[in-house]
Amino acid sequence: MVRIILLVAVLIAGLVFGPEAAGNKGYVLIALGNYTVESSVTSLALLAILLYGALLLLEWMLVRLLRLRRNTAGWFGKRRRSKANQQTVAATLAMAEGHYGQAEKLLVKSARNSDTPLLNYLSAAKAAQARGDEARRDEYLQLAQQENPKAELALTLTQTQLQIEQEQYEQALAALEPIYALQPRHPMVLEQLMQIRRARREWPALIDLLPTLRKVGRLSPAREEHLLEEAWSARLEEGSGQLDTLRPVWLEMPRKLRQQPHLLLTYGRYLRALGAESEAADLWLDALRKENSPLLLAELPRLKLENYQTMLVQLRKMQDQPGARAALGQVALLAGQLEEAQPLLEAELASQPSAAVYHALARIMEQRRLTNKANEYYRQALSLALG
């Protein structure tokens, strides 16, 4: 714009001062080596003005040409990006419908022109894994890392999660352990390690991880307690072959967990299986003195003891509590005290019938030689057990 104004100004000046200079044209001589150019001042000025105008015209034409090229390239680029976005959407729908091969092709095809090629390659890796093609999966993850080298940690964790889903625990663990050494409180690293430890039944390692997972907000207290019970139950099972391996696991367990009815029941059953019936009885009775547990009460009549007196004394004290009356009746039957057992069991049958109570009453009727009544109770017990 400035140059056009300058050109107009020169033209106006020529119109104003041109007539005055017409009578005094002047003389210009330009010598370049063996060449000389002679001209009047007026002719040279007009030539310069024309040359400047020609340059301006040439510049305008070049600018228009370049702008046209840029606009054309932009139009084609915009069209390619739009098509890539459409292919990405189609791939997402194909993934949701389970067409993993189609989704993978669309994601890879549109990655080059996509606004988010990193996400395209990550989704393609998941599609390849869904097809069972682990080599392609790893190839797409490498391409994703090339797109954004700074996302190495995120891509590594994506790869390890895919490996965990594919049960490739060794490879995932090999990648996670160095990261865990540098970032021992990284939530995703901890969560993936938890999945691996649990899948590989590495219970001590899992138990060590759980408190940190709760502290970083990846576990609720209820979920932590559930996993701890699972892990310690598994450790008890692993040590259940001998009393010398079983008892140390129980003593190592946190006191709070040793008060949980499910774990008390599990440990007691393992003791019974190894012939330590009296030890199991003492364990359960001690727990019942602190807190009633219908779960443990239902298990007491399964114990085979030489003397049931201690158990009877305690059950008589708590027979008004849920489950205690039925347990007392069955234990009294085991102790041979039919006169005490029968009314207790009949009262329990009237309020809350169960297969165990019917079976105990059937045994009493058998001992009293009331065969028909015994058979009726046995049928009722079987019906409830099967129903």
Side-chain angles (χ1 to χ4, degrees):
M1 185 66 182
V2 174
R3 285 172 289 188
I4 294 174
I5 293 173
L6 182 60
L7 180 60
V8 172
V10 170
L11 290 173
I12 293 174
L15 292 173
V16 173
F17 297 103
E20 183 178 347
N24 186 12
K25 298 181 180 180
Y27 178 74
V28 176
L29 173 64
I30 300 174
L32 294 172
N34 297 326
Y35 297 95
T36 59
V37 177
E38 298 179 7
S39 173
S40 65
V41 174
T42 304
S43 298
L44 183 61
L46 290 173
L47 181 62
I49 292 170
L50 291 174
L51 180 61
Y52 184 66
L55 289 173
L56 287 177
L57 179 62
L58 179 61
E59 180 188 26
W60 178 83
M61 293 175 65
L62 288 174
V63 168
R64 295 292 295 180
L65 180 63
L66 292 173
R67 185 178 299 168
L68 177 63
R69 182 180 178 183
R70 185 167 61 250
N71 290 340
T72 303
W75 182 83
F76 281 110
K78 184 177 180 181
R79 186 173 182 276
R80 284 194 297 267
R81 286 194 298 274
S82 177
K83 186 177 180 180
N85 290 337
Q86 292 175 2
Q87 289 175 331
T88 301
V89 172
T92 303
L93 294 175
M95 281 278 285
E97 295 171 359
H99 303 307
Y100 301 116
Q102 179 186 354
E104 180 184 342
K105 291 178 182 178
L106 289 170
L107 287 164
V108 175
K109 185 177 180 180
S110 61
R112 182 176 299 178
N113 297 309
S114 172
D115 294 330
T116 55
L118 175 66
L119 299 181
N120 278 60
Y121 287 127
L122 285 177
S123 298
K126 293 177 181 178
Q129 170 149 313
R131 292 193 304 102
D133 193 338
E134 297 166 11
R136 285 283 188 183
R137 176 199 68 190
D138 295 339
E139 178 185 340
Y140 296 141
L141 289 171
Q142 289 177 359
L143 290 171
Q145 186 167 351
Q146 292 173 11
E147 288 291 336
N148 192 346
K150 293 182 180 180
E152 181 179 1
L153 177 58
L155 292 171
T156 300
L157 292 177
T158 300
Q159 183 172 24
T160 51
Q161 184 59 50
L162 292 174
Q163 289 170 337
I164 290 170
E165 293 172 5
Q166 205 71 9
E167 298 184 2
Q168 297 175 318
Y169 302 121
E170 292 288 345
Q171 298 93 315
L173 192 59
L176 284 170
E177 284 182 333
I179 303 174
Y180 177 65
L182 295 174
Q183 302 187 50
R185 293 177 64 85
H186 192 289
M188 184 62 73
V189 174
L190 289 167
E191 191 169 335
Q192 291 187 6
L193 283 173
M194 180 189 73
Q195 295 176 48
I196 294 172
R197 301 303 187 194
R198 190 180 182 196
R200 288 160 59 98
R201 300 181 65 82
E202 297 173 352
W203 305 115
L206 174 63
I207 290 168
D208 290 340
L209 280 175
L210 295 179
T212 310
L213 271 163
R214 177 174 52 79
K215 289 176 183 177
V216 299
R218 288 287 174 158
L219 279 183
S220 65
R223 176 65 173 162
E224 181 187 14
E225 183 177 344
H226 172 76
L227 289 172
L228 282 171
E229 286 190 19
E230 178 187 5
W232 282 107
S233 294
R235 289 198 63 189
L236 287 172
E237 181 183 2
E238 291 173 352
S240 63
Q242 297 180 5
L243 289 173
D244 290 341
T245 55
L246 178 63
R247 287 173 179 145
V249 176
W250 180 255
L251 294 175
E252 185 184 348
M253 191 183 300
R255 181 182 298 273
K256 181 180 179 181
L257 289 175
R258 280 186 283 164
Q259 298 172 355
Q260 296 294 328
H262 286 286
L263 290 172
L264 281 163
L265 182 65
T266 299
Y267 180 54
R269 283 176 172 173
Y270 289 140
L271 288 173
R272 287 185 58 212
L274 295 171
E277 299 265 356
S278 296
E279 189 174 341
D282 293 340
L283 174 76
W284 289 341
L285 289 174
D286 184 60
L288 287 167
R289 289 187 191 100
K290 299 172 184 175
E291 185 179 359
N292 181 40
S293 170
L295 194 65
L296 296 180
L297 286 170
E299 197 73 12
L300 287 179
R302 300 177 185 273
L303 292 167
K304 307 301 180 186
L305 305 175
E306 293 181 1
N307 190 329
Y308 291 93
Q309 191 57 35
T310 302
M311 190 179 294
L312 286 169
V313 170
Q314 183 169 336
L315 289 174
R316 286 168 186 152
K317 292 178 181 178
M318 54 185 301
Q319 62 180 297
D320 293 334
Q321 299 182 27
R325 183 171 57 187
L328 177 57
Q330 292 175 75
V331 172
L333 171 62
L334 293 173
Q337 300 180 13
L338 303 186
E339 297 300 328
E340 181 180 9
Q342 184 172 343
L344 287 168
L345 292 170
E346 288 175 344
E348 184 68 19
L349 187 64
S351 63
Q352 194 171 356
S354 67
V357 173
Y358 272 118
H359 190 271
L361 279 170
R363 290 178 58 194
I364 292 175
M365 295 302 111
E366 247 183 348
Q367 293 185 41
R368 293 187 182 279
R369 299 177 183 270
L370 300 172
T371 306
N372 291 336
K373 195 65 174 176
N375 289 337
E376 181 184 343
Y377 282 143
Y378 277 131
R379 284 194 295 271
Q380 293 290 347
L382 181 62
S383 176
L384 282 178
L386 295 176

Short mmCIF file of all heavy atoms in Angstrom, two decimals, residues 13-56:
data_model
loop_
_atom_site.label_atom_id
_atom_site.label_comp_id
_atom_site.label_asym_id
_atom_site.label_seq_id
_atom_site.Cartn_x
_atom_site.Cartn_y
_atom_site.Cartn_z
N ALA A 13 4.02 14.42 -8.80
CA ALA A 13 5.17 15.35 -8.87
C ALA A 13 5.60 15.55 -10.30
O ALA A 13 5.98 16.66 -10.74
CB ALA A 13 6.33 14.80 -8.02
N GLY A 14 5.55 14.51 -11.09
CA GLY A 14 5.91 14.63 -12.50
C GLY A 14 4.97 15.54 -13.25
O GLY A 14 5.38 16.33 -14.11
N LEU A 15 3.67 15.43 -12.90
CA LEU A 15 2.70 16.28 -13.57
C LEU A 15 2.88 17.75 -13.18
O LEU A 15 2.65 18.66 -13.99
CB LEU A 15 1.27 15.83 -13.22
CG LEU A 15 0.85 14.46 -13.80
CD1 LEU A 15 -0.51 14.06 -13.25
CD2 LEU A 15 0.81 14.54 -15.34
N VAL A 16 3.29 17.98 -11.93
CA VAL A 16 3.45 19.36 -11.46
C VAL A 16 4.72 19.99 -12.00
O VAL A 16 4.73 21.11 -12.53
CB VAL A 16 3.44 19.39 -9.91
CG1 VAL A 16 3.78 20.79 -9.41
CG2 VAL A 16 2.08 18.94 -9.40
N PHE A 17 5.82 19.21 -11.87
CA PHE A 17 7.11 19.80 -12.25
C PHE A 17 7.54 19.45 -13.66
O PHE A 17 8.57 19.93 -14.15
CB PHE A 17 8.20 19.34 -11.27
CG PHE A 17 7.95 19.80 -9.85
CD1 PHE A 17 7.46 18.92 -8.88
CD2 PHE A 17 8.18 21.13 -9.49
CE1 PHE A 17 7.21 19.35 -7.61
CE2 PHE A 17 7.95 21.55 -8.20
CZ PHE A 17 7.47 20.67 -7.24
N GLY A 18 6.74 18.59 -14.32
CA GLY A 18 7.12 18.18 -15.67
C GLY A 18 7.17 19.34 -16.65
O GLY A 18 8.14 19.49 -17.39
N PRO A 19 6.12 20.20 -16.70
CA PRO A 19 6.16 21.32 -17.69
C PRO A 19 7.34 22.25 -17.47
O PRO A 19 7.94 22.75 -18.41
CB PRO A 19 4.83 22.04 -17.42
CG PRO A 19 3.94 20.96 -16.85
CD PRO A 19 4.83 20.11 -16.04
N GLU A 20 7.71 22.47 -16.20
CA GLU A 20 8.82 23.37 -15.92
C GLU A 20 10.15 22.78 -16.37
O GLU A 20 11.04 23.49 -16.84
CB GLU A 20 8.86 23.65 -14.42
CG GLU A 20 9.96 24.66 -14.04
CD GLU A 20 9.95 24.95 -12.56
OE1 GLU A 20 8.96 24.59 -11.88
OE2 GLU A 20 10.92 25.53 -12.09
N ALA A 21 10.20 21.42 -16.24
CA ALA A 21 11.47 20.78 -16.62
C ALA A 21 11.53 20.50 -18.11
O ALA A 21 12.55 20.06 -18.61
CB ALA A 21 11.64 19.48 -15.84
N ALA A 22 10.41 20.72 -18.82
CA ALA A 22 10.39 20.39 -20.24
C ALA A 22 11.38 21.21 -21.04
O ALA A 22 11.98 20.74 -22.00
CB ALA A 22 8.98 20.59 -20.80
N GLY A 23 11.59 22.43 -20.61
CA GLY A 23 12.53 23.28 -21.34
C GLY A 23 13.97 23.07 -20.91
O GLY A 23 14.88 23.60 -21.54
N ASN A 24 14.21 22.33 -19.90
CA ASN A 24 15.57 22.10 -19.41
C ASN A 24 15.69 20.60 -19.07
O ASN A 24 15.58 20.19 -17.94
CB ASN A 24 15.82 22.96 -18.16
CG ASN A 24 17.28 22.86 -17.69
OD1 ASN A 24 18.12 22.33 -18.41
ND2 ASN A 24 17.52 23.34 -16.49
N LYS A 25 15.83 19.80 -20.10
CA LYS A 25 15.79 18.35 -19.95
C LYS A 25 17.00 17.79 -19.24
O LYS A 25 16.92 16.73 -18.63
CB LYS A 25 15.67 17.69 -21.33
CG LYS A 25 14.37 18.08 -22.04
CD LYS A 25 14.29 17.39 -23.38
CE LYS A 25 12.99 17.75 -24.11
NZ LYS A 25 12.89 17.08 -25.40
N GLY A 26 18.11 18.46 -19.28
CA GLY A 26 19.31 17.93 -18.62
C GLY A 26 19.92 16.80 -19.44
O GLY A 26 19.45 16.44 -20.52
N TYR A 27 21.00 16.19 -18.90
CA TYR A 27 21.74 15.18 -19.65
C TYR A 27 22.31 14.17 -18.64
O TYR A 27 22.91 14.54 -17.63
CB TYR A 27 22.85 15.84 -20.45
CG TYR A 27 23.73 14.86 -21.23
CD1 TYR A 27 23.21 14.26 -22.39
CD2 TYR A 27 25.00 14.53 -20.80
CE1 TYR A 27 24.01 13.37 -23.11
CE2 TYR A 27 25.79 13.64 -21.51
CZ TYR A 27 25.29 13.05 -22.68
OH TYR A 27 26.05 12.16 -23.37
N VAL A 28 22.13 12.87 -18.99
CA VAL A 28 22.63 11.80 -18.13
C VAL A 28 23.47 10.88 -18.98
O VAL A 28 23.04 10.44 -20.05
CB VAL A 28 21.49 11.02 -17.47
CG1 VAL A 28 22.05 9.86 -16.65
CG2 VAL A 28 20.68 11.93 -16.58
N LEU A 29 24.70 10.53 -18.48
CA LEU A 29 25.60 9.61 -19.17
C LEU A 29 25.98 8.51 -18.17
O LEU A 29 26.54 8.79 -17.10
CB LEU A 29 26.86 10.33 -19.66
CG LEU A 29 27.94 9.41 -20.26
CD1 LEU A 29 27.43 8.73 -21.54
CD2 LEU A 29 29.20 10.21 -20.56
N ILE A 30 25.72 7.28 -18.57
CA ILE A 30 26.07 6.13 -17.72
C ILE A 30 27.05 5.28 -18.50
O ILE A 30 26.76 4.83 -19.62
CB ILE A 30 24.82 5.30 -17.37
CG1 ILE A 30 23.81 6.17 -16.61
CG2 ILE A 30 25.20 4.09 -16.52
CD1 ILE A 30 22.50 5.49 -16.36
N ALA A 31 28.24 5.03 -17.90
CA ALA A 31 29.29 4.26 -18.56
C ALA A 31 29.55 3.00 -17.76
O ALA A 31 29.84 3.06 -16.55
CB ALA A 31 30.56 5.08 -18.67
N LEU A 32 29.44 1.84 -18.43
CA LEU A 32 29.72 0.54 -17.80
C LEU A 32 30.69 -0.20 -18.70
O LEU A 32 30.32 -0.78 -19.71
CB LEU A 32 28.43 -0.28 -17.63
CG LEU A 32 27.38 0.29 -16.66
CD1 LEU A 32 26.09 -0.53 -16.76
CD2 LEU A 32 27.92 0.25 -15.25
N GLY A 33 31.98 -0.14 -18.36
CA GLY A 33 33.00 -0.78 -19.19
C GLY A 33 33.06 -0.12 -20.56
O GLY A 33 33.28 1.09 -20.67
N ASN A 34 32.85 -0.92 -21.61
CA ASN A 34 32.87 -0.40 -22.97
C ASN A 34 31.51 0.08 -23.44
O ASN A 34 31.35 0.45 -24.60
CB ASN A 34 33.37 -1.51 -23.95
CG ASN A 34 34.81 -1.92 -23.64
OD1 ASN A 34 35.61 -1.08 -23.21
ND2 ASN A 34 35.12 -3.20 -23.85
N TYR A 35 30.55 0.05 -22.51
CA TYR A 35 29.19 0.45 -22.90
C TYR A 35 28.86 1.77 -22.26
O TYR A 35 29.23 2.03 -21.11
CB TYR A 35 28.16 -0.60 -22.45
CG TYR A 35 28.37 -1.96 -23.11
CD1 TYR A 35 29.12 -2.95 -22.46
CD2 TYR A 35 27.83 -2.23 -24.38
CE1 TYR A 35 29.32 -4.17 -23.05
CE2 TYR A 35 28.03 -3.46 -24.97
CZ TYR A 35 28.76 -4.45 -24.32
OH TYR A 35 28.97 -5.65 -24.89
N THR A 36 28.13 2.59 -23.00
CA THR A 36 27.67 3.88 -22.48
C THR A 36 26.19 4.03 -22.81
O THR A 36 25.71 3.53 -23.83
CB THR A 36 28.44 5.06 -23.09
OG1 THR A 36 28.26 5.02 -24.52
CG2 THR A 36 29.91 4.99 -22.72
N VAL A 37 25.48 4.68 -21.87
CA VAL A 37 24.05 4.95 -22.07
C VAL A 37 23.85 6.44 -21.88
O VAL A 37 24.25 7.00 -20.84
CB VAL A 37 23.17 4.15 -21.09
CG1 VAL A 37 21.70 4.52 -21.28
CG2 VAL A 37 23.37 2.66 -21.29
N GLU A 38 23.24 7.09 -22.86
CA GLU A 38 22.97 8.52 -22.79
C GLU A 38 21.46 8.72 -22.78
O GLU A 38 20.73 8.08 -23.52
CB GLU A 38 23.57 9.25 -24.00
CG GLU A 38 25.09 9.13 -24.09
CD GLU A 38 25.65 9.86 -25.30
OE1 GLU A 38 24.86 10.55 -25.98
OE2 GLU A 38 26.85 9.73 -25.57
N SER A 39 21.03 9.64 -21.92
CA SER A 39 19.59 9.90 -21.83
C SER A 39 19.38 11.23 -21.17
O SER A 39 20.24 11.72 -20.42
CB SER A 39 18.89 8.79 -21.04
OG SER A 39 17.54 9.11 -20.82
N SER A 40 18.20 11.78 -21.45
CA SER A 40 17.83 13.00 -20.73
C SER A 40 17.33 12.61 -19.34
O SER A 40 16.93 11.46 -19.10
CB SER A 40 16.73 13.76 -21.49
OG SER A 40 15.55 12.97 -21.50
N VAL A 41 17.34 13.56 -18.44
CA VAL A 41 16.89 13.30 -17.06
C VAL A 41 15.40 12.91 -17.06
O VAL A 41 14.98 12.00 -16.34
CB VAL A 41 17.13 14.54 -16.18
CG1 VAL A 41 16.51 14.32 -14.81
CG2 VAL A 41 18.60 14.84 -16.07
N THR A 42 14.63 13.57 -17.89
CA THR A 42 13.19 13.29 -17.93
C THR A 42 12.91 11.87 -18.39
O THR A 42 12.11 11.14 -17.81
CB THR A 42 12.48 14.29 -18.85
OG1 THR A 42 12.78 15.61 -18.41
CG2 THR A 42 10.99 14.05 -18.85
N SER A 43 13.63 11.45 -19.45
CA SER A 43 13.42 10.09 -19.99
C SER A 43 13.83 9.04 -18.95
O SER A 43 13.16 8.02 -18.77
CB SER A 43 14.23 9.90 -21.27
OG SER A 43 13.80 10.81 -22.26
N LEU A 44 14.97 9.32 -18.26
CA LEU A 44 15.44 8.35 -17.26
C LEU A 44 14.44 8.25 -16.10
O LEU A 44 14.17 7.15 -15.59
CB LEU A 44 16.81 8.77 -16.74
CG LEU A 44 17.45 7.80 -15.74
CD1 LEU A 44 17.67 6.43 -16.39
CD2 LEU A 44 18.77 8.37 -15.23
N ALA A 45 13.88 9.40 -15.70
CA ALA A 45 12.91 9.38 -14.60
C ALA A 45 11.66 8.58 -14.98
O ALA A 45 11.13 7.78 -14.18
CB ALA A 45 12.54 10.79 -14.20
N LEU A 46 11.19 8.82 -16.23
CA LEU A 46 10.01 8.07 -16.67
C LEU A 46 10.29 6.58 -16.75
O LEU A 46 9.45 5.73 -16.39
CB LEU A 46 9.56 8.59 -18.04
CG LEU A 46 8.95 10.00 -18.06
CD1 LEU A 46 8.71 10.47 -19.49
CD2 LEU A 46 7.65 10.00 -17.27
N LEU A 47 11.51 6.24 -17.23
CA LEU A 47 11.89 4.82 -17.31
C LEU A 47 11.94 4.18 -15.92
O LEU A 47 11.49 3.04 -15.73
CB LEU A 47 13.25 4.70 -18.01
CG LEU A 47 13.76 3.27 -18.20
CD1 LEU A 47 12.79 2.48 -19.09
CD2 LEU A 47 15.17 3.28 -18.83
N ALA A 48 12.48 4.93 -14.94
CA ALA A 48 12.56 4.41 -13.58
C ALA A 48 11.17 4.17 -12.99
O ALA A 48 10.91 3.17 -12.31
CB ALA A 48 13.37 5.36 -12.70
N ILE A 49 10.29 5.14 -13.30
CA ILE A 49 8.92 5.00 -12.78
C ILE A 49 8.23 3.79 -13.40
O ILE A 49 7.56 3.00 -12.70
CB ILE A 49 8.11 6.28 -13.05
CG1 ILE A 49 8.67 7.42 -12.20
CG2 ILE A 49 6.63 6.07 -12.77
CD1 ILE A 49 8.10 8.77 -12.57
N LEU A 50 8.41 3.59 -14.71
CA LEU A 50 7.81 2.44 -15.38
C LEU A 50 8.39 1.13 -14.85
O LEU A 50 7.65 0.14 -14.65
CB LEU A 50 8.03 2.55 -16.89
CG LEU A 50 7.25 3.67 -17.59
CD1 LEU A 50 7.67 3.77 -19.07
CD2 LEU A 50 5.74 3.41 -17.49
N LEU A 51 9.70 1.13 -14.65
CA LEU A 51 10.34 -0.07 -14.12
C LEU A 51 9.82 -0.41 -12.71
O LEU A 51 9.54 -1.57 -12.39
CB LEU A 51 11.86 0.12 -14.10
CG LEU A 51 12.67 -1.08 -13.57
CD1 LEU A 51 12.42 -2.30 -14.45
CD2 LEU A 51 14.16 -0.74 -13.55
N TYR A 52 9.68 0.62 -11.89
CA TYR A 52 9.17 0.41 -10.53
C TYR A 52 7.74 -0.13 -10.57
O TYR A 52 7.35 -1.03 -9.82
CB TYR A 52 9.24 1.73 -9.76
CG TYR A 52 8.82 1.59 -8.31
CD1 TYR A 52 9.57 0.84 -7.42
CD2 TYR A 52 7.66 2.21 -7.85
CE1 TYR A 52 9.19 0.71 -6.11
CE2 TYR A 52 7.26 2.09 -6.53
CZ TYR A 52 8.04 1.34 -5.65
OH TYR A 52 7.66 1.22 -4.35
N GLY A 53 6.93 0.43 -11.49
CA GLY A 53 5.56 -0.04 -11.63
C GLY A 53 5.51 -1.49 -12.09
O GLY A 53 4.67 -2.27 -11.62
N ALA A 54 6.44 -1.85 -13.00
CA ALA A 54 6.49 -3.24 -13.48
C ALA A 54 6.85 -4.18 -12.34
O ALA A 54 6.30 -5.29 -12.23
CB ALA A 54 7.49 -3.35 -14.62
N LEU A 55 7.79 -3.74 -11.50
CA LEU A 55 8.17 -4.57 -10.34
C LEU A 55 7.00 -4.76 -9.39
O LEU A 55 6.78 -5.85 -8.86
CB LEU A 55 9.36 -3.94 -9.61
CG LEU A 55 10.71 -4.01 -10.35
CD1 LEU A 55 11.77 -3.21 -9.60
CD2 LEU A 55 11.17 -5.46 -10.54
N LEU A 56 6.24 -3.69 -9.15
CA LEU A 56 5.07 -3.80 -8.29
C LEU A 56 4.05 -4.77 -8.87
O LEU A 56 3.44 -5.57 -8.15
CB LEU A 56 4.43 -2.43 -8.10
CG LEU A 56 5.18 -1.44 -7.20
CD1 LEU A 56 4.44 -0.12 -7.17
CD2 LEU A 56 5.31 -1.99 -5.79
#
